[in-house]
Amino acid sequence: MKEKRSPSQLEALWKESDMACGEKVNAMVVIMRTNGCCWVKSGGCTMCGYREASLNNVTEDDLSKQLEQALSRYKDEPFVKIYTSGSFLDDNEVPPAMRDRFLDAFSGCKRILFESRPEFITPDTVGSLPRNVTVALGLESSDPEVLRTSVRKGFTPDDILRAGTLLKDTGLGVRTYLLLKPPFMTEAMAIEDAVRSARFADPFSDEISINPLNVQRATYVERLWKRGEFRSPWIWSLVEVFRQLSGTVNARLMSSPSGGGAMRGVHNCGECDRAVLDAIEKFSFTQDIRDLDVTCKCTDRWGAYLKSETLLGSPADLDRDFENELVLRM
């Protein structure tokens, strides 16, 4: 039986490192339980499983208790990240009075980050935000057709461009999320799309986070993955994106992959995964491309994978197809 989750309890809270005011600092990450992303009610995005963190009828009192829990764990970290399953600026998820309480509670921080869809980013909503706020925008791709059919995001790149430009003009920070390898893309297509999307986002972004697709449960992408019609990206593809972008954009490049090294997440051969992921973490802070000088014999296999997908014109999991063929022949 599935455990009943309390609306007055945080979904999760942990500590990690990130950047604030040009230096590496400790950060507290808070995952709230809310009434959920408004876009989920229209079907949601193809890869997003965050509806599992959503509940019905979460009250302001519930959110107040979640704030109290966060404050009880707060140890003066200079950076606080507040995530919901949707948009922090959506009044249905976080009522304005409660939003003000959260921001006031951490007003002494060097930096506060939260996410929002672009429709909630207006002159009225952002004009009163404190100057230590960074808003994270889930652009995913600058290709309108990818957003419409592959990700099913419910907005266009121009919507993000408008929102990001408004935030920058207001003096707020912007972190833009891009999705590496949305469904229906080959590995080579995914690399090209991520690089192109980063160049699109650079003018209005302080940071660009490249997020390799992680196969979350109860999603459309998981159905593709289970049928062998999708493979999470190679870590080498993420490295290649950074190599192509390094020194050509002004925004800080970063990545903190979910599920890295697992079959559902970004992965290589298994032997080099940890070393390459550690190199990516280091690069995310230093921006020194030399930190990505990690080698493994599976780079040849990755290169062959890219060529094979291109020749076949298919994003199917070729590794799994090959393994299944071997089993059938035994």
Side-chain angles (χ1 to χ4, degrees):
M1 180 181 295
K2 189 174 181 179
E3 180 184 358
K4 186 175 181 180
R5 293 149 64 240
S6 169
S8 61
Q9 296 289 318
L10 290 171
E11 182 69 18
L13 185 151
W14 69 84
K15 309 293 179 73
E16 63 184 22
S17 296
D18 209 319
M19 297 289 289
C21 300
E23 63 178 350
K24 187 177 181 179
V25 299
N26 294 325
M28 182 172 78
V29 183
V30 177
I31 312 294
M32 298 170 59
R33 287 177 179 164
T34 68
N35 289 322
C37 177
C38 63
W39 182 237
V40 167
K41 299 175 178 63
S42 299
C45 301
T46 58
M47 75 294 179
C48 183
Y50 291 147
R51 71 186 67 193
E52 294 295 311
S54 303
L55 296 172
N56 294 319
N57 302 315
V58 178
T59 66
E60 286 198 41
D61 184 59
D62 292 324
L63 296 176
S64 181
K65 289 177 181 177
Q66 292 184 45
L67 174 58
E68 291 172 6
Q69 292 167 48
L71 288 171
S72 71
R73 299 275 302 278
Y74 181 57
K75 302 300 179 184
D76 294 323
E77 286 84 8
F79 192 175
V80 173
K81 307 176 188 181
I82 306 169
Y83 294 116
T84 71
S85 58
S87 299
F88 189 72
L89 294 178
D90 181 355
D91 293 350
N92 180 62
E93 286 198 76
V94 186
M98 200 65 234
R99 193 156 57 233
D100 290 342
R101 284 190 59 192
F102 267 85
L103 296 176
D104 288 344
F106 301 108
S107 60
C109 293
K110 291 182 178 179
R111 192 176 185 197
I112 300 173
L113 180 143
F114 58 75
E115 295 178 330
S116 180
R117 287 176 61 88
E119 57 261 44
F120 302 112
I121 298 172
T122 67
D124 288 339
T125 58
V126 305
S128 60
L129 292 174
R131 300 304 94 174
N132 62 345
V133 160
T134 294
V135 180
L137 303 173
L139 170 60
E140 318 303 2
S141 172
S142 63
D143 187 321
E145 192 63 18
V146 171
L147 287 189
R148 188 179 71 85
T149 62
S150 183
V151 182
R152 199 179 182 275
K153 198 70 180 184
F155 54 69
T156 69
D158 285 342
D159 293 326
I160 291 288
L161 176 61
R162 176 203 60 79
T165 302
L166 173 61
L167 291 166
K168 290 291 287 183
D169 290 346
T170 309
L172 299 172
V174 179
R175 175 178 289 185
T176 301
Y177 293 133
L178 300 178
L179 186 65
L180 178 61
K181 203 177 181 184
F184 315 125
M185 276 194 183
T186 65
E187 204 85 12
M189 291 169 60
I191 293 169
E192 180 182 353
D193 180 72
V195 171
R196 183 173 55 246
S197 299
R199 300 198 194 287
F200 172 87
D202 187 46
F204 58 81
S205 303
D206 298 292
E207 298 163 314
I208 297 173
S209 179
I210 311 294
N211 300 333
L213 196 153
N214 176 41
V215 181
Q216 298 180 357
R217 300 189 186 282
T219 62
Y220 177 73
V221 168
E222 186 185 49
R223 294 208 302 271
L224 295 175
W225 177 75
K226 286 183 174 179
R227 294 200 300 255
E229 296 174 7
F230 179 82
R231 183 203 190 276
S232 293
W234 290 70
I235 312 175
W236 296 126
S237 295
L238 179 57
V239 170
E240 178 62 21
V241 170
F242 285 144
R243 289 195 186 281
Q244 292 189 30
L245 289 173
S246 180
T248 69
V249 294
N250 294 315
R252 171 196 169 206
L253 299 170
M254 58 180 293
S255 184
S256 182
S258 298
M263 290 302 294
R264 285 175 175 263
V266 61
H267 62 280
N268 286 342
C269 65
E271 295 182 10
C272 68
D273 292 28
R274 187 69 265 159
V276 187
L277 289 169
D278 287 345
I280 287 168
E281 181 180 11
K282 186 176 181 181
F283 169 79
S284 295
F285 289 105
T286 67
Q287 302 296 282
D288 188 341
I289 198 65
R290 293 172 296 182
D291 289 331
L292 295 176
D293 288 341
V294 185
T295 60
C296 179
K297 59 186 179 183
C298 75
T299 54
D300 290 339
R301 184 174 157 200
W302 166 70
Y305 195 99
L306 264 66
K307 292 178 182 177
S308 298
E309 272 192 325
T310 301
L311 287 171
L312 293 172
S314 169
D317 190 341
L318 302 183
D319 282 343
R320 202 184 315 181
D321 288 346
F322 180 69
E323 290 168 1
N324 290 341
E325 183 67 21
L326 287 179
V327 171
L328 289 173
R329 290 182 179 182
M330 291 177 64

